[in-house]
Amino acid sequence: METRQQGFLDSEPLREADEDMASEIDLNNCLLTEEEREEIQQQLAKLEEEISTLRQVLSSKEKQHAELKQKLGVGSLSELRNNLSKGWHDMQTSTAYKKTSETISTAGQKTSVAFTTLGSAITRKFGDMRNSPSFKSFEEKVETTVSTLKTKVGGAETGGSFEEVLSSAANASSQDTPTNNLTDGSERP
């Protein structure tokens, strides 16, 4: 692994404060003796060397960290899973999540009550409709028609359900259907 040595100023862009300091140094350079300037340059070189060494040590530690995690079987996928689990837990314990959950729960309860009320209202309306004069009139007409069918199909017998009447009507109509009894196979209509 090759590392490039950078000077401290090379690693970060200059900011306005840095420019102000640089202009002060330029003004002060005139006031520094040659010995002071050399000493400061040596300190600067030493700091840059220490920074480079620390970067190398950090890189080595990060590599060792990754190798140990790999030996433990802790890969990026399991880290992602752990991070998601932790994130989900943190979200569930957050105030916003709790408030949202409570709001949704309340809305669900209110919706349930509304549907129950709607069902009761529909049931009541059907009951009212069944007791209405127009429905009773329709019901009487159906009963009269069924009674008439019973009389025509089964004679004067009374009683029986609507299904029995329909069944007897079907039986009666099948008995009225003429059958084709051909004696000679060559004659065809």
Side-chain angles (χ1 to χ4, degrees):
M1 175 182 221
E2 182 177 315
T3 59
R4 183 178 153 245
Q5 283 189 329
Q6 291 181 315
F8 180 73
L9 295 178
D10 293 341
S11 64
E12 296 180 31
L14 290 177
R15 293 184 214 109
E16 189 175 324
D18 296 331
E19 290 173 2
D20 291 341
M21 191 174 84
S23 64
E24 286 177 19
I25 292 174
D26 287 342
L27 293 176
N28 291 333
N29 275 343
C30 301
L31 303 175
L32 291 176
T33 64
E34 192 61 35
E35 290 175 5
E36 291 172 331
R37 182 178 290 163
E38 238 178 75
E39 185 179 331
I40 292 173
Q41 285 180 344
Q42 286 175 355
Q43 288 176 351
L44 183 61
K46 184 178 178 184
L47 281 175
E48 288 177 350
E49 188 177 316
E50 288 176 2
I51 290 170
S52 176
T53 303
L54 290 172
R55 283 189 180 136
Q56 289 174 354
V57 169
L58 178 62
S59 175
S60 172
K61 294 291 182 185
E62 286 175 339
K63 184 177 178 183
Q64 183 182 7
H65 178 257
E67 288 172 356
L68 290 174
K69 285 173 87 174
Q70 187 178 15
K71 284 180 182 178
L72 287 174
V74 179
S76 56
L77 185 59
S78 61
E79 277 185 34
L80 178 63
R81 187 177 342 117
N82 290 339
N83 288 342
L84 288 175
S85 294
K86 184 182 182 312
W88 178 250
H89 175 30
D90 291 348
M91 185 187 71
Q92 285 180 320
T93 58
S94 72
T95 306
Y97 179 84
K98 288 178 182 177
K99 285 182 180 179
T100 303
S101 178
E102 289 171 6
T103 302
I104 290 173
S105 176
T106 302
Q109 290 170 354
K110 288 181 180 181
T111 303
S112 176
V113 168
F115 279 128
T116 301
T117 304
L118 179 65
S120 298
I122 290 172
T123 302
R124 187 175 55 250
K125 286 293 181 183
F126 277 136
D128 293 347
M129 186 177 77
R130 185 153 194 227
N131 294 328
S132 73
S134 55
F135 187 81
K136 288 195 182 253
S137 172
F138 174 73
E139 191 175 33
E140 288 172 4
K141 287 180 183 177
V142 169
E143 286 176 1
T144 304
T145 305
V146 168
S147 176
T148 304
L149 281 173
K150 284 182 183 180
T151 304
K152 286 183 179 179
V153 172
E157 70 181 71
T158 58
S161 68
F162 184 69
E163 289 83 13
E164 291 172 349
V165 171
L166 287 177
S167 176
S168 66
N171 287 337
S173 68
S174 68
Q175 291 174 357
D176 290 342
T177 305
T179 57
N180 291 331
N181 292 333
L182 298 176
T183 54
D184 186 17
S186 62
E187 295 178 30
R188 299 205 176 198

